[in-house]
Amino acid sequence: AQSVTQPDIHITVSEGASLELRCNYSYGATPYLFWYVQSPGQGLQLLLKYFSGDTLVQGIKGFEAEFKRSQSSFNLRKPSVHWSDAAEYFCAVGAPAAGNKLTFGGGTRVLVKP
Amino acid sequence: EAGVAQSPRYKIIEKRQSVAFWCNPISGHATLYWYQQILGQGPKLLIQFQNNGVVDDSQLPKDRFSAERLKGVDSTLKIQPAKLEDSAVYLCASSSLAGINEQFFGPGTRLTVL
């Protein structure tokens, strides 16, 4: 069975500073990996996804993530954070052999200081 | 394109009462998912439909939870009787049929059981 760990529950970052959110996964085959963002009272919005190919993936809102198979990681980065990036971020692994079932990590809440 | 619709947005009930949530997926999306998101945790899949058939309901507490998607379009999730630990946000998502695809999430229904 697949699993996802997001080691950081909370991260506080100053506006304009860089951001990196960690994600480690466990899956027996080539993973399909996703990052979603959830603003208060909202559903989840997809930031980016990795299926295959280039291990550096570009997403919306200036986010990118890098797949590192040797480290079983899929960390999310943004070079310069905006106040509107304050939200909760979820990493997820998809299981193509199980009907595209998504398993989510526990999430990382990002607070942005002015 | 209209997104995933859910209603109600909020519901407060007392334990042992019953409650139902409704979801209308994006038009043409064959696959529909119900997730439970407890405060401070990532979403957990409860049930997945493909058209009107169940693909995965392994994590659905079947003694109290039920779900249906009779015509392969909208879906209803029911809890009867509710317990305190059912307090959570219930998210509905949909995706198109082919391969691994993005799941589009609705805004969720926040359930409080008193």
Side-chain angles (χ1 to χ4, degrees), chain A residues 43-58:
Chain A
L44 282 80
Q45 180 184 21
L46 182 70
L47 287 175
L48 47 78
K49 59 191 176 186
Y50 172 79
F51 293 164
S52 64
D54 193 344
T55 56
L56 186 62
V57 181
Q58 302 297 320

Side-chain angles (χ1 to χ4, degrees), chain B residues 49-101:
Chain B
F49 292 95
Q50 186 157 302
N51 296 310
N52 59 354
V54 175
V55 175
D56 184 348
D57 64 356
S58 58
Q59 297 193 86
L60 186 74
K62 298 180 186 63
D63 58 334
R64 297 184 301 106
F65 286 64
S66 64
E68 60 184 12
R69 193 185 185 200
L70 292 177
K71 297 182 179 179
V73 180
D74 57 347
S75 175
T76 302
L77 176 69
K78 296 179 181 177
I79 307 175
Q80 182 178 10
K83 293 185 175 181
L84 296 178
E85 59 261 35
D86 298 332
S87 293
V89 175
Y90 291 85
L91 294 165
C92 179
S94 69
S95 69
S96 60
L97 181 60
I100 292 290
N101 278 293

